[in-house]
Structure formats: structure tokens, C-alpha cells
Amino acid sequence: MKDGMTLYIECNMGVAGDMLMAALLELLPEAEADRFLERMNSLGLEGVVVTRAASEKCGIMGTHIDVSIRGELEHSEDVDPAHDHGHTHDHHHGYIHGDPHDHDHHHDHHHTHDHDHDHDHDHDHDHGHSHDHHHHTHDHDHDHDHGHTHDHHRDHHHDHHHGYIHGDPHDHDHHHPDHDHDHHHHHGPHSHMGLAEVYAVIDSLPVSEQVQSDARAVYALIGEAESKAHGKDLDAVHFHEVGMLDAVADVVGVSLLMELLAPARVVVSPVHVGSGLVRTQHGVLPVPAPATAHILRGVPTYAGTIRGELATPTGAALLRHFATDWGSQPAMTVETIGYGMGTKDFAAANCVRTFLGRETAAAAVETPAEVVEIVCNLDDMTGEELGFAMEVLLGAGALDVWHTPIYMKKQRPAWQLSCLVRAEERERFELLMLRHTTSFGVRSRGWTRRVLERAVETVETKRGPVRLKRGRGAGIERRSVEYEDLARIAKESGESLADLRRELESL
């Protein structure tokens, strides 16, 4: 894309992975959007088919994306506790309230289902519940993939117990691990996967190292949140195969689109998370679901008046990973706008909206922010173990991670592992360091951090496309070439890194 662009993501009706993907897709020219869909469907994700269709909400046209797994779509419905006669309508969307976006919960809409029905509470709909289900339907259909062992048989009404172990509200298809969805997708012996197996799936895809890295980092946020929410070790968190493939498609799709758009800055609005309760395999839980709430710690959010889950773990993790700033839309000249639609209908348009343009205010140095450095000394870890711990910390969203050679008692050679994080995330990273190192303790100290406004842009050169990192503010400007691009060109040309760096950084 063009240099120096800002992407603003408006989450007035929450966020789910598929809605965000659709909103970003609308920012591309039609031909590029077609190529993106072809690419998504040629990644080799078993049984996954990604399709798009025009969708109208409250008179506004946008794009709706469906991710089907072996012909099944994940859907969920919200339940209104006031009318929850205990039936399990089979939908347990895991939440009691299902995918916000997807549950037809129109909350808010009175759907009249006048439940008078004499049903046998068998319908798929939670009768009556004011159908609160028609929620957004942000179609988050997936998202809840997380870990939960969802058994969601998408589209089946069933018992969507969103299980979250994490569930996607919008999608409730999360089979919270507990859910037993009555349907078991017997997709072979590997119906549940641990985080390492999910990483292996991501690493096998024909995408760039950057997209793989972004996708792993997003899943690391989801896995760590599920671990915290359910009191399980990270390696004990497992994701249901169908939900996992659904979420991987969303996560990789959004990561690919972010690579194509290459915004210099990503600003995200306060996130509308919804309110009420959701039914999971673990029981009735508050909205936002515990995993979503954990991921959005330190992020501006609000409950609003809609009863249902509007933000899913997948959507929340994608925002957390890609956002550079949170708040209102900056002063900018907008060039393109995208609308990613959910499936349900509400009084307000059920969509995620994106704006791509150029900021009109002069760049300035960021306001100083409080950060924390967490350190520990290690003399009994292998190089592989230390490298893995660093990867976990970076994947969980650390600002920086590094190690320094030191000497400990009796002159033993050792390493000091350091991790720089935002002040509000200190406890989370202290526990991660204790879990993934052999140290019996960690120590922390606070710092004030001031940084230049940073951006990564892709420029066309005689040597092909090259990514440049730029820093600007207060009359200061500097740039550097992405190492991976520099190394690739050096290997192809036989020239030295130093000569190439001087040439390319002068562009």
C-alpha cells in the first residue's frame, strides 16, 4: 500500500475474526480482493473454504465472510436468562449468550417469538428468549476457536456450548471444552490440538515468515488467556480441530491482509464487548467471557446495553496484536472505508468498520509511557530452552526480550533474561517467565519510555520490494531496512549487508 497510511478500526458492535477480515478485505481493490480469496482457499487448510457475499445491515452495504469446515458453518445463538427455562435448547453457545454477532439475538429487537410455543424446547432457538440471540451475529463464527475444544458443529444448532475454553462469542461455536456438543465432529484421532500443534499448522502454510509470526503471536495470546481463565497450564490447553481451523483461517486471513495493507499505524476504538451471561460447558459465565476479558486487559472497553457477547477471543487477540494505539479516530484524510458484517440483526448496524487514510496532524514524539523490565538469572537452561522462552514472551506481546551473558556465584557463566512490557501487564509476564524458565524468582523495575512514531512501509526498488522501518517526531527522522529483506537481497546478489544497507536506507 501507500507509504505512511493509518488504519482506524471502529468496534462499535464488538469484533470477531471473520468480521475484521471482511472489513479489511473491503479496503482492497476488487481484483486484489479476488486474489486474496483465491489465496486463502489454496493455503492447504484441510476442508476449509472461505467465501464472501454482499450483506446489508440497517441499509448499509458491506461484506460478510463465511469460513466453512468440511461444509459446516459455525453459528451460535444467545440465550436470555430471563427466558431460559433451563432448556438447553441445544445451543448452549457457550455462553449464555452466544455470539454476539451471531446470534441472532437481536437483542434489542424484540423478536417476537412469542413463545407461546408449545414447543418442546427443541427448537433451535431459544425461544423466546427474546431472542436475544440474534445478536450480532457477528458471525464470529469462529473465533471461539480457541481452545475450546469446541465441538461446534457449526451451523448445527446444537448445543453450541461455546465452550470456549474460550469461545467466540460471535460464534459461539466454541465448544467450551466442556461442551459436549452433542455432536462430535469425528474428524479423526486429532480432533483436539495443543498450542504446539496449532503452531505447526501455521508454520506449514505457504505464507511469509511475517504472517506466520503474526499468526503465532495471536494464537499465543488466545492460549495464554485460556490457560489463565481455566487455571490450566498452557500445554494443557487444547483446541477443538474444527474451531481451531476456523480461527486459524481468521487469524491467517487478517494477518495476510495486514501484510497487504501495510499500515504505518493501527488505531482501534474502544471495544464494545456486550453484557449479560453466556452458557458454557463450565456453567453460566459473565460477558465478556473470561478469556476475552483477559486479552483485553488494559484496553478501553465498554458493556453497552446489548445483552450478548459482542467480542470474541479471536477478534480481541487480533486487535491486541496489531493495534499500535487505542482511542478515537485521529484527524485523517480517509481514502477507503470497509464494512465487515455479522450475521445477526440489531437496532444498530452489526459491523466492524475500517478507515484507511493519512493523518493530517504533524507527527510527534509519543507521550512518555510507564514500562516494566522483568529479569531473572539463569545458569541451568539449554540454548534451545532459552530461545523457546524468548519466543513465548515475544509471542505473548512483550515490547522487547533479550538476554545478556553474566557470571553468577562461583564464577559460573550464565544468562540474564530481560523482558520489557507495559506496566499493566507486569504480573502476566512475571508468571510467564516463571513458567518457561528454571528460575525460582524474577524481579522487576519500572522505566519511563518515550519513542518516535514508528511505521513500516514497503517501497519498490530496483532490487524488488523492500520494507523500511521509519521513526519520526519532534524534527527527528530515521529509517532502517528490515533485516530479512536485507539478508535475502545479500544472498541473491552476493553483496555485503553493509553496502546494501547504505544503498537502501538512502531511498
mmCIF file with all atom_site columns, all heavy atoms in Angstrom, residues 84-95:
data_model
loop_
_atom_site.group_PDB
_atom_site.id
_atom_site.type_symbol
_atom_site.label_atom_id
_atom_site.label_alt_id
_atom_site.label_comp_id
_atom_site.label_asym_id
_atom_site.label_entity_id
_atom_site.label_seq_id
_atom_site.pdbx_PDB_ins_code
_atom_site.Cartn_x
_atom_site.Cartn_y
_atom_site.Cartn_z
_atom_site.occupancy
_atom_site.B_iso_or_equiv
_atom_site.pdbx_formal_charge
_atom_site.auth_seq_id
_atom_site.auth_comp_id
_atom_site.auth_asym_id
_atom_site.auth_atom_id
_atom_site.pdbx_PDB_model_num
ATOM 1   N N   . ASP A 1 84 ? -34.781 -18.355 30.089 1.00 0.00 ? 84 ASP A N   1
ATOM 2   C CA  . ASP A 1 84 ? -34.071 -19.582 29.901 1.00 0.00 ? 84 ASP A CA  1
ATOM 3   C C   . ASP A 1 84 ? -34.696 -20.619 30.766 1.00 0.00 ? 84 ASP A C   1
ATOM 4   O O   . ASP A 1 84 ? -34.257 -20.850 31.846 1.00 0.00 ? 84 ASP A O   1
ATOM 5   C CB  . ASP A 1 84 ? -32.638 -19.355 30.321 1.00 0.00 ? 84 ASP A CB  1
ATOM 6   C CG  . ASP A 1 84 ? -31.871 -20.566 30.065 1.00 0.00 ? 84 ASP A CG  1
ATOM 7   O OD1 . ASP A 1 84 ? -32.308 -21.387 29.294 1.00 0.00 ? 84 ASP A OD1 1
ATOM 8   O OD2 . ASP A 1 84 ? -30.820 -20.695 30.639 1.00 0.00 ? 84 ASP A OD2 1
ATOM 9   N N   . HIS A 1 85 ? -35.716 -21.232 30.271 1.00 0.00 ? 85 HIS A N   1
ATOM 10  C CA  . HIS A 1 85 ? -36.354 -22.187 31.105 1.00 0.00 ? 85 HIS A CA  1
ATOM 11  C C   . HIS A 1 85 ? -35.480 -23.332 31.355 1.00 0.00 ? 85 HIS A C   1
ATOM 12  O O   . HIS A 1 85 ? -35.932 -24.422 31.452 1.00 0.00 ? 85 HIS A O   1
ATOM 13  C CB  . HIS A 1 85 ? -37.555 -22.718 30.422 1.00 0.00 ? 85 HIS A CB  1
ATOM 14  C CG  . HIS A 1 85 ? -38.201 -21.630 29.712 1.00 0.00 ? 85 HIS A CG  1
ATOM 15  N ND1 . HIS A 1 85 ? -37.681 -20.424 29.395 1.00 0.00 ? 85 HIS A ND1 1
ATOM 16  C CD2 . HIS A 1 85 ? -39.417 -21.548 29.261 1.00 0.00 ? 85 HIS A CD2 1
ATOM 17  C CE1 . HIS A 1 85 ? -38.522 -19.683 28.791 1.00 0.00 ? 85 HIS A CE1 1
ATOM 18  N NE2 . HIS A 1 85 ? -39.565 -20.335 28.691 1.00 0.00 ? 85 HIS A NE2 1
ATOM 19  N N   . GLY A 1 86 ? -34.265 -23.130 31.367 1.00 0.00 ? 86 GLY A N   1
ATOM 20  C CA  . GLY A 1 86 ? -33.481 -24.277 31.598 1.00 0.00 ? 86 GLY A CA  1
ATOM 21  C C   . GLY A 1 86 ? -33.398 -25.113 30.439 1.00 0.00 ? 86 GLY A C   1
ATOM 22  O O   . GLY A 1 86 ? -32.604 -25.965 30.337 1.00 0.00 ? 86 GLY A O   1
ATOM 23  N N   . HIS A 1 87 ? -34.084 -24.893 29.363 1.00 0.00 ? 87 HIS A N   1
ATOM 24  C CA  . HIS A 1 87 ? -33.968 -25.809 28.346 1.00 0.00 ? 87 HIS A CA  1
ATOM 25  C C   . HIS A 1 87 ? -32.676 -25.621 27.842 1.00 0.00 ? 87 HIS A C   1
ATOM 26  O O   . HIS A 1 87 ? -32.267 -24.587 27.598 1.00 0.00 ? 87 HIS A O   1
ATOM 27  C CB  . HIS A 1 87 ? -34.810 -25.632 27.184 1.00 0.00 ? 87 HIS A CB  1
ATOM 28  C CG  . HIS A 1 87 ? -35.552 -24.508 27.309 1.00 0.00 ? 87 HIS A CG  1
ATOM 29  N ND1 . HIS A 1 87 ? -35.755 -23.725 28.288 1.00 0.00 ? 87 HIS A ND1 1
ATOM 30  C CD2 . HIS A 1 87 ? -36.295 -23.988 26.437 1.00 0.00 ? 87 HIS A CD2 1
ATOM 31  C CE1 . HIS A 1 87 ? -36.538 -22.836 28.045 1.00 0.00 ? 87 HIS A CE1 1
ATOM 32  N NE2 . HIS A 1 87 ? -36.853 -22.947 26.972 1.00 0.00 ? 87 HIS A NE2 1
ATOM 33  N N   . THR A 1 88 ? -32.134 -26.604 27.404 1.00 0.00 ? 88 THR A N   1
ATOM 34  C CA  . THR A 1 88 ? -30.963 -26.357 26.822 1.00 0.00 ? 88 THR A CA  1
ATOM 35  C C   . THR A 1 88 ? -31.077 -26.207 25.409 1.00 0.00 ? 88 THR A C   1
ATOM 36  O O   . THR A 1 88 ? -30.172 -26.462 24.756 1.00 0.00 ? 88 THR A O   1
ATOM 37  C CB  . THR A 1 88 ? -30.041 -27.423 27.128 1.00 0.00 ? 88 THR A CB  1
ATOM 38  O OG1 . THR A 1 88 ? -30.085 -28.236 26.154 1.00 0.00 ? 88 THR A OG1 1
ATOM 39  C CG2 . THR A 1 88 ? -30.208 -27.897 28.368 1.00 0.00 ? 88 THR A CG2 1
ATOM 40  N N   . HIS A 1 89 ? -32.012 -25.842 24.888 1.00 0.00 ? 89 HIS A N   1
ATOM 41  C CA  . HIS A 1 89 ? -32.060 -25.637 23.551 1.00 0.00 ? 89 HIS A CA  1
ATOM 42  C C   . HIS A 1 89 ? -30.911 -26.036 22.890 1.00 0.00 ? 89 HIS A C   1
ATOM 43  O O   . HIS A 1 89 ? -30.524 -25.391 22.000 1.00 0.00 ? 89 HIS A O   1
ATOM 44  C CB  . HIS A 1 89 ? -32.070 -24.251 23.307 1.00 0.00 ? 89 HIS A CB  1
ATOM 45  C CG  . HIS A 1 89 ? -33.280 -23.983 23.777 1.00 0.00 ? 89 HIS A CG  1
ATOM 46  N ND1 . HIS A 1 89 ? -33.858 -23.821 24.767 1.00 0.00 ? 89 HIS A ND1 1
ATOM 47  C CD2 . HIS A 1 89 ? -34.314 -23.834 23.318 1.00 0.00 ? 89 HIS A CD2 1
ATOM 48  C CE1 . HIS A 1 89 ? -34.990 -23.554 24.888 1.00 0.00 ? 89 HIS A CE1 1
ATOM 49  N NE2 . HIS A 1 89 ? -35.289 -23.573 24.087 1.00 0.00 ? 89 HIS A NE2 1
ATOM 50  N N   . ASP A 1 90 ? -30.357 -26.848 23.172 1.00 0.00 ? 90 ASP A N   1
ATOM 51  C CA  . ASP A 1 90 ? -29.343 -27.200 22.464 1.00 0.00 ? 90 ASP A CA  1
ATOM 52  C C   . ASP A 1 90 ? -28.461 -26.218 22.042 1.00 0.00 ? 90 ASP A C   1
ATOM 53  O O   . ASP A 1 90 ? -27.794 -26.381 21.211 1.00 0.00 ? 90 ASP A O   1
ATOM 54  C CB  . ASP A 1 90 ? -29.862 -27.740 21.292 1.00 0.00 ? 90 ASP A CB  1
ATOM 55  C CG  . ASP A 1 90 ? -30.173 -28.977 21.545 1.00 0.00 ? 90 ASP A CG  1
ATOM 56  O OD1 . ASP A 1 90 ? -29.574 -29.608 22.122 1.00 0.00 ? 90 ASP A OD1 1
ATOM 57  O OD2 . ASP A 1 90 ? -30.937 -29.385 21.148 1.00 0.00 ? 90 ASP A OD2 1
ATOM 58  N N   . HIS A 1 91 ? -28.474 -25.047 22.357 1.00 0.00 ? 91 HIS A N   1
ATOM 59  C CA  . HIS A 1 91 ? -27.487 -24.279 21.853 1.00 0.00 ? 91 HIS A CA  1
ATOM 60  C C   . HIS A 1 91 ? -26.575 -23.924 22.864 1.00 0.00 ? 91 HIS A C   1
ATOM 61  O O   . HIS A 1 91 ? -26.093 -23.075 22.806 1.00 0.00 ? 91 HIS A O   1
ATOM 62  C CB  . HIS A 1 91 ? -27.888 -23.056 21.408 1.00 0.00 ? 91 HIS A CB  1
ATOM 63  C CG  . HIS A 1 91 ? -29.160 -23.077 21.062 1.00 0.00 ? 91 HIS A CG  1
ATOM 64  N ND1 . HIS A 1 91 ? -30.215 -22.855 21.652 1.00 0.00 ? 91 HIS A ND1 1
ATOM 65  C CD2 . HIS A 1 91 ? -29.692 -23.247 19.978 1.00 0.00 ? 91 HIS A CD2 1
ATOM 66  C CE1 . HIS A 1 91 ? -31.180 -22.828 21.047 1.00 0.00 ? 91 HIS A CE1 1
ATOM 67  N NE2 . HIS A 1 91 ? -30.955 -23.084 20.075 1.00 0.00 ? 91 HIS A NE2 1
ATOM 68  N N   . HIS A 1 92 ? -26.222 -24.252 23.729 1.00 0.00 ? 92 HIS A N   1
ATOM 69  C CA  . HIS A 1 92 ? -25.507 -23.667 24.656 1.00 0.00 ? 92 HIS A CA  1
ATOM 70  C C   . HIS A 1 92 ? -24.477 -22.791 24.237 1.00 0.00 ? 92 HIS A C   1
ATOM 71  O O   . HIS A 1 92 ? -23.562 -22.713 24.897 1.00 0.00 ? 92 HIS A O   1
ATOM 72  C CB  . HIS A 1 92 ? -24.808 -24.690 25.307 1.00 0.00 ? 92 HIS A CB  1
ATOM 73  C CG  . HIS A 1 92 ? -25.802 -25.507 25.772 1.00 0.00 ? 92 HIS A CG  1
ATOM 74  N ND1 . HIS A 1 92 ? -26.408 -26.459 25.334 1.00 0.00 ? 92 HIS A ND1 1
ATOM 75  C CD2 . HIS A 1 92 ? -26.469 -25.516 26.762 1.00 0.00 ? 92 HIS A CD2 1
ATOM 76  C CE1 . HIS A 1 92 ? -27.251 -27.007 25.985 1.00 0.00 ? 92 HIS A CE1 1
ATOM 77  N NE2 . HIS A 1 92 ? -27.337 -26.475 26.799 1.00 0.00 ? 92 HIS A NE2 1
ATOM 78  N N   . HIS A 1 93 ? -24.519 -22.166 23.307 1.00 0.00 ? 93 HIS A N   1
ATOM 79  C CA  . HIS A 1 93 ? -23.472 -21.374 22.907 1.00 0.00 ? 93 HIS A CA  1
ATOM 80  C C   . HIS A 1 93 ? -22.637 -21.155 23.994 1.00 0.00 ? 93 HIS A C   1
ATOM 81  O O   . HIS A 1 93 ? -22.608 -20.169 24.558 1.00 0.00 ? 93 HIS A O   1
ATOM 82  C CB  . HIS A 1 93 ? -23.880 -20.062 22.729 1.00 0.00 ? 93 HIS A CB  1
ATOM 83  C CG  . HIS A 1 93 ? -25.038 -20.248 22.220 1.00 0.00 ? 93 HIS A CG  1
ATOM 84  N ND1 . HIS A 1 93 ? -26.136 -20.139 22.643 1.00 0.00 ? 93 HIS A ND1 1
ATOM 85  C CD2 . HIS A 1 93 ? -25.419 -20.578 21.107 1.00 0.00 ? 93 HIS A CD2 1
ATOM 86  C CE1 . HIS A 1 93 ? -27.022 -20.264 21.956 1.00 0.00 ? 93 HIS A CE1 1
ATOM 87  N NE2 . HIS A 1 93 ? -26.687 -20.568 21.039 1.00 0.00 ? 93 HIS A NE2 1
ATOM 88  N N   . GLY A 1 94 ? -22.014 -21.715 24.307 1.00 0.00 ? 94 GLY A N   1
ATOM 89  C CA  . GLY A 1 94 ? -21.253 -21.459 25.296 1.00 0.00 ? 94 GLY A CA  1
ATOM 90  C C   . GLY A 1 94 ? -21.501 -20.394 26.017 1.00 0.00 ? 94 GLY A C   1
ATOM 91  O O   . GLY A 1 94 ? -21.286 -20.223 26.969 1.00 0.00 ? 94 GLY A O   1
ATOM 92  N N   . TYR A 1 95 ? -21.930 -19.478 25.662 1.00 0.00 ? 95 TYR A N   1
ATOM 93  C CA  . TYR A 1 95 ? -22.198 -18.505 26.528 1.00 0.00 ? 95 TYR A CA  1
ATOM 94  C C   . TYR A 1 95 ? -23.538 -18.488 26.770 1.00 0.00 ? 95 TYR A C   1
ATOM 95  O O   . TYR A 1 95 ? -24.211 -18.841 26.101 1.00 0.00 ? 95 TYR A O   1
ATOM 96  C CB  . TYR A 1 95 ? -22.134 -17.346 25.864 1.00 0.00 ? 95 TYR A CB  1
ATOM 97  C CG  . TYR A 1 95 ? -21.007 -17.435 25.303 1.00 0.00 ? 95 TYR A CG  1
ATOM 98  C CD1 . TYR A 1 95 ? -20.756 -17.785 24.139 1.00 0.00 ? 95 TYR A CD1 1
ATOM 99  C CD2 . TYR A 1 95 ? -19.974 -17.073 25.965 1.00 0.00 ? 95 TYR A CD2 1
ATOM 100 C CE1 . TYR A 1 95 ? -19.570 -17.704 23.649 1.00 0.00 ? 95 TYR A CE1 1
ATOM 101 C CE2 . TYR A 1 95 ? -18.816 -17.064 25.359 1.00 0.00 ? 95 TYR A CE2 1
ATOM 102 C CZ  . TYR A 1 95 ? -18.715 -17.381 24.268 1.00 0.00 ? 95 TYR A CZ  1
ATOM 103 O OH  . TYR A 1 95 ? -17.659 -17.288 23.790 1.00 0.00 ? 95 TYR A OH  1
#
